[in-house]
Amino acid sequence: VFWTSFEFPIFIVVNEVNFVRKCISTENNQEGLWGKLICTNFKVSFIPQDTSPKQKSTLSHLLLGEHDIPLTCLEQVVTVNDTKGKKKVLGSNQKLKFNPTELILYCKDLRMIRFCFEEAGPESARKVCLAIAHYSHPADLQLLFGFEYQGRRYHESKGNERVNGSTPRGLQTPIFDRSSDWDREIKRTNASEWRVCSINQSYTVSSSLPEHIVVPSSLTDQDLMQYASSFTDRRIPMWCWSHSNGSALVRMASLTDPLQLKKTEQKIFAAITKSHPQRNEPFRSDLDKSLPSILDIQSAFVKLRQICILDPFEESEERWLSTIENSRWLEYVRAFLKHSAEMVYHLEGGNSSVILQEEEDRDLNCVVSALMQLMLDPRYRSLIGFQSLVQKEWVMAGHRFLDRCNHLKKNDKEESPLFLLFLDCVWQIMNQYPAAFEFTETYLTVLSDSMWIPLFSTFLFSSSKQRAQHLMDFAKHKAIPQGEDQVVYFPPVWEWSQQFSTKDQTLFNNPMYVGKGAACVQNGEVKTFKRKKAYSSTLRGTPTNLRNGVKGGEESLTRRSSLANELKSELTPVKDLSPSERFFKDWFSRPADLQGLLIPLLMPSHMAFWKLFFLRWVPEACISKGGPVTTYHKLSQLVDEIEILQSQLRQYKGTSPGNTPLTSSGGNPTDQRRMYFQASSPDDPSTPPECLTSSFPFTPTGNLSRRTVQGTPISKFLNGARIWLSTETLANDTV
């Protein structure tokens, strides 16, 4: 039994085996780490015999060691017997008729790890393999480790004393499980024609909606109760966000009652129209007809995972990239971004409310509504704002995390990585407008990894009701003694101090972020920087390669070498542009306001491959002292030095009525360093740390490698290749 400083055991050792070798190469069978393999009720742990000192500047998880894998993160457990040529994929309560010589673990975070048992006891090896397979396939949700872990540690406080979840900056992320959170959002967006409705308290109307939703003020509770039966799962339409022009973003499920369909639809649309200042009719988008299905998305991800984990790497970059393209993953990412941008036009340019409609309103609507708000509202591009967006549009809206993540491994047909697709879409926008986001791609990657740690309520349940019911049942029957609170409190994932130290959480901070609260120095005084309104639409003189904060030649330059071309362009009649085309052309013709509307470039060539997420565990793709982290390292040191100088300047000048106390964008005092990499002294010029690689802050060391030599020859990059991939195959490793 493993113990912590708390008064109860954190996790229990189920089985273990000594003299195990963790393979890190297929070329040399003797290469690897020797140690003990342990199966607990929470994770698979490997403890090396020779514990080498942990490298500095790598992410250190407070709940997981360098060689640990949460049981919920296991995709497949495969046992192999080389001498008999046998291989078996293990499930729960299955028998294993041969003694395994190898164990291969395929993980949902795209790791692939192999253990060899040539020196281990055959019976011990067989038992530990069966234990891992059994505990990674829980028969019931309450058998997940999170219930054991949180059962006695967390209790819901009475009244309003409960903390919703703290972030690295000590601020709170709204959970939207109470009406006051929705009220604040209504006031923030000036949605005066909308109100908080609590008819779903105790989930009496819909089992998948939150207890509090926002609806048109013109609709009474009685009206809504009457209309609910016409919608799938009785999900009445719910408000998401309001534009300053009065247009609203609304999401709703499909109407199921053919007799009441037209009548109910007319009344709902009339109420949304009435909420608009100009009484403009709303624009409806049926996402089931416009976007890929959840099965399409899952199929694309399975192909992409095959490419990143199993397939042999090819030296020909073109061939490898074509297989990425053929998976259709980037095509689907682009489709969601494109459709979201089109809906943004109707809100911003068309001055119409937008209704997103999906059969169940729990999958595609989550992606599009969140992306639209990310493009429209700079609040959601801050760290706290983004977390509130995920909480509002994914968690409280009833996205089926339990089914889509397949935590119980019961129904593969329900599995679909919609949240990962959303994060990839966010990364695409961030990649094009890096200074517009307060957080980094490390944060997005860590957030995705948190889906596979069953300790937080955020990604564990499919609805608020399911969460409340399971926790109440568990508290009543198993965990909470009589006289104590009858509801177990699962913390949200936003309590990052549960996973990372304050130092490591600074990896979430983007040094390039341009926020509303950014400070500047004018005439020796620290003042708040106030951003002006959007640039005039008549501005046309911005260089093409710098427009909208996007560097590079994304837009083709006008050809000037041929007079015939110029004359042809002048004589050819100009095609009349549609209102939407005119809107987008006008927007892209002027510099982007990073604190205003952001529209991503959407040509297929603009879609990039998210290398940090998909290739971080691949040693062959790991570039020593290379990749985006080198820029991040220098910028972080520069920002840290600026903030030190600003702090010294403030202390020198002293505080006066005309000076603004210098704070970071998150509101922390300046004596708390925001940057992970800190400024070096003039006597000690900065050099990149040895551990800096393109996979930073993750390390592929210990993941199965196809080569003994790590790294990438610089000549391949100088010749124009972006990723060099070896030709070695992974023999006998397919499942």
Side-chain angles (χ1 to χ4, degrees), residues 2 27 46 50 74 81 103 151 235 253 256 263 285 323 341 367 456 463 532 583 655 674 687 707 718 723:
F2 283 72
E27 289 189 347
F46 178 76
D50 300 324
L74 293 178
N81 186 300
L103 171 68
R235 287 179 65 96
T256 57
K263 183 179 178 181
S285 175
T323 59
V367 182
F456 311 103
S463 67
K532 297 181 180 180
F583 170 80
T655 56
R674 293 191 310 113
T687 56
R707 296 177 58 85
L718 295 177
I723 291 291

Side-chain angles (χ1 to χ4, degrees), residues 76 131 143 187 216 240 248-249 256 387 397 432 557 665 682 718:
Q76 278 191 337
L143 294 178
K187 292 176 182 177
C240 302
L249 175 61
T256 57
Q387 293 180 168
Q432 295 184 22
L557 297 174
S665 59
L718 295 177

Side-chain angles (χ1 to χ4, degrees), residues 622-631 692-696:
C622 184
I623 312 167
S624 178
K625 296 185 180 180
V629 69
T630 54
T631 303
L692 276 194
T693 69
S694 56
S695 297
F696 179 88

Side-chain angles (χ1 to χ4, degrees), residues 335-345 367-368 371-372 375:
F336 276 89
L337 285 169
K338 185 173 184 291
H339 193 82
S340 300
E342 290 170 353
M343 295 304 102
V344 163
Y345 156 72
V367 182
V368 176
L371 286 177
M372 288 178 64
M375 295 177 191

Side-chain angles (χ1 to χ4, degrees), residues 465-500:
K465 180 182 180 180
Q466 186 187 60
R467 170 188 177 275
Q469 189 64 52
H470 274 284
L471 297 183
M472 197 174 295
D473 291 346
F474 188 79
K476 182 178 180 180
H477 297 110
K478 297 181 180 179
I480 307 299
Q482 286 186 346
E484 296 188 14
D485 293 336
Q486 292 300 302
V487 178
V488 182
Y489 172 52
F490 265 56
V493 73
W494 320 127
E495 292 190 7
W496 292 110
S497 59
Q498 299 281 328
Q499 299 189 62
F500 304 104

Side-chain angles (χ1 to χ4, degrees), residues 267-460:
K267 290 184 177 180
I268 293 291
F269 277 48
I272 297 174
T273 300
K274 191 175 180 180
S275 70
H276 195 285
Q278 283 80 47
R279 302 296 190 264
N280 293 344
E281 292 187 1
F283 179 87
R284 176 172 56 180
S285 175
D286 188 340
L287 300 191
D288 289 320
K289 297 179 180 178
S290 307
L291 290 169
S293 68
I294 61 171
L295 294 178
D296 294 333
I297 295 167
Q298 172 67 3
S299 174
F301 179 70
V302 169
K303 294 175 184 176
L304 187 63
R305 183 172 58 198
Q306 173 86 10
I307 297 166
C308 296
I309 296 182
L310 299 177
D311 284 355
F313 289 119
E314 299 291 341
E315 225 172 358
S316 168
E317 183 196 56
E318 290 76 15
R319 178 176 173 181
W320 187 79
L321 290 177
S322 66
T323 59
I324 295 290
E325 182 181 2
N326 292 337
S327 74
R328 306 190 72 179
W329 176 262
L330 287 177
E331 176 187 333
Y332 293 159
V333 167
R334 176 175 175 262
F336 276 89
L337 285 169
K338 185 173 184 291
H339 193 82
S340 300
E342 290 170 353
M343 295 304 102
V344 163
Y345 156 72
H346 290 287
L347 265 173
E348 171 106 358
N351 195 14
S352 300
S353 294
V354 170
I355 301 174
L356 301 177
Q357 189 166 20
E358 182 192 9
E359 183 177 358
E360 292 188 347
D361 181 32
R362 303 175 70 179
D363 291 310
L364 308 183
N365 272 0
C366 297
V367 182
V368 176
S369 63
L371 286 177
M372 288 178 64
Q373 293 171 71
L374 196 73
M375 295 177 191
L376 286 159
D377 194 339
R379 156 74 178 170
Y380 296 129
R381 301 194 284 268
S382 69
L383 182 61
I384 302 299
F386 182 78
Q387 293 180 168
S388 69
L389 178 67
V390 173
Q391 189 70 34
K392 177 167 66 82
E393 296 301 326
W394 288 84
V395 182
M396 299 310 292
H399 178 63
R400 299 176 181 272
F401 279 109
L402 181 63
D403 300 323
R404 299 298 178 245
C405 296
N406 201 12
H407 286 314
L408 302 182
K409 301 178 177 66
K410 286 186 175 181
N411 192 348
D412 292 343
K413 293 182 180 179
E414 294 290 329
E415 186 174 0
S416 186
L418 282 160
F419 189 68
L420 175 60
L421 180 128
F422 165 69
L423 294 181
D424 200 333
C425 290
V426 174
W427 179 82
Q428 299 290 338
I429 306 174
M430 181 191 298
N431 190 47
Q432 295 184 22
Y433 303 100
F437 292 82
E438 187 179 18
F439 46 89
T440 61
E441 65 173 326
T442 295
Y443 168 80
L444 294 179
T445 307
V446 165
L447 183 58
S448 174
D449 289 346
S450 298
M451 285 194 291
W452 316 120
I453 303 177
L455 303 178
F456 311 103
S457 62
T458 309
F459 304 124
L460 202 55

Side-chain angles (χ1 to χ4, degrees), residues 143-154:
L143 294 178
L144 288 175
F145 176 71
F147 286 88
E148 180 70 27
Y149 180 70
Q150 305 295 355
R152 292 179 179 271
R153 187 176 171 192
Y154 289 101

